[in-house]
Amino acid sequence: MAVEFPVVHGHPNRLPFEGVLTLVDVPSDKAPSGARGHRVVLTRAAAEAALPSLLGMAVDYKAGWDGHDARQKCGIITAAEVDGKRLTVSGYLFARDFPEMESKIQAEGAMGMSYELADAHVADMQASIWTLTRATFTGAAILLRDKAAYRSTSFRLKQPIARRAALAR
């Protein structure tokens, strides 16, 4: 599922990215923020039903790369799909608005992602691992992989710095 943006070669504010936002039908490695200390499982059915809510949502980051800051929006999600156990996303970072992002992401190395939800339905609030059967995505965060609830997430820029420099010439 994707929103098509026209190609604008050398656009100074569009830096393409791709990532694994989460895993489906797999318990999180640790409790995400807002889960009251519970690890969670996002069901495939819930993820697939919520895919349309990801399109057009913001990507954010927090100084220190260790969490979420929904007011620090640095990009947009333009595509999302469930591929096996992985929920993958792609989109653009606002490179001109956040010129420090590209070099910081390249320097930090192992980057991951974390989803932001609203209207989540937990099958059994008494369970040790919460199963999410319904949710609406409200955005995503870029963070260090080891800070993510799912350590198998990833985030990478699709266009290396050298290539962007060549396009700018």
Side-chain angles (χ1 to χ4, degrees):
M1 184 169 293
V3 176
E4 290 292 324
F5 278 72
V7 175
V8 181
H9 294 288
H11 194 297
N13 212 27
R14 284 190 196 169
L15 178 58
F17 73 82
E18 62 189 5
V20 174
L21 179 59
T22 193
L23 301 179
V24 298
D25 290 333
V26 175
S28 60
D29 296 307
K30 63 181 185 178
S33 177
R36 301 182 198 159
H38 293 265
R39 292 170 53 212
V40 299
V41 173
L42 179 63
T43 64
R44 174 178 296 280
E48 288 174 345
L51 278 181
S53 69
L54 260 175
L55 301 181
M57 289 298 99
V59 175
D60 61 63
Y61 78 102
K62 180 179 171 189
W65 304 100
D66 60 353
H68 297 249
D69 184 348
R71 294 178 180 260
Q72 194 70 4
K73 297 179 187 320
C74 60
I76 185 170
I77 296 170
T78 60
E81 71 175 316
V82 176
D83 179 14
K85 296 273 186 198
R86 304 174 328 141
L87 193 163
T88 61
V89 295
S90 60
Y92 299 101
L93 290 185
F94 304 136
R96 186 177 175 102
D97 297 341
F98 295 89
E100 72 282 2
M101 290 288 295
E102 186 173 9
S103 60
K104 285 183 179 179
I105 288 169
Q106 299 275 355
E108 290 292 345
M111 301 303 286
M113 297 189 81
S114 180
Y115 56 72
E116 295 165 353
L117 296 177
D119 306 325
H121 179 265
V122 177
D124 178 3
M125 297 287 286
Q126 303 305 314
S128 61
I129 298 176
W130 283 358
T131 300
L132 305 180
T133 58
R134 188 174 58 245
T136 301
F137 289 106
T138 59
I142 306 164
L143 67 170
L144 293 169
R145 189 176 296 153
D146 66 351
K147 300 294 183 181
Y150 288 88
R151 292 198 177 96
S152 298
T153 64
S154 63
F155 181 89
R156 76 175 192 92
L157 301 175
K158 289 170 70 172
Q159 195 174 47
I161 293 173
R163 183 167 171 213
R164 288 196 65 230
L167 286 174
R169 289 185 201 142

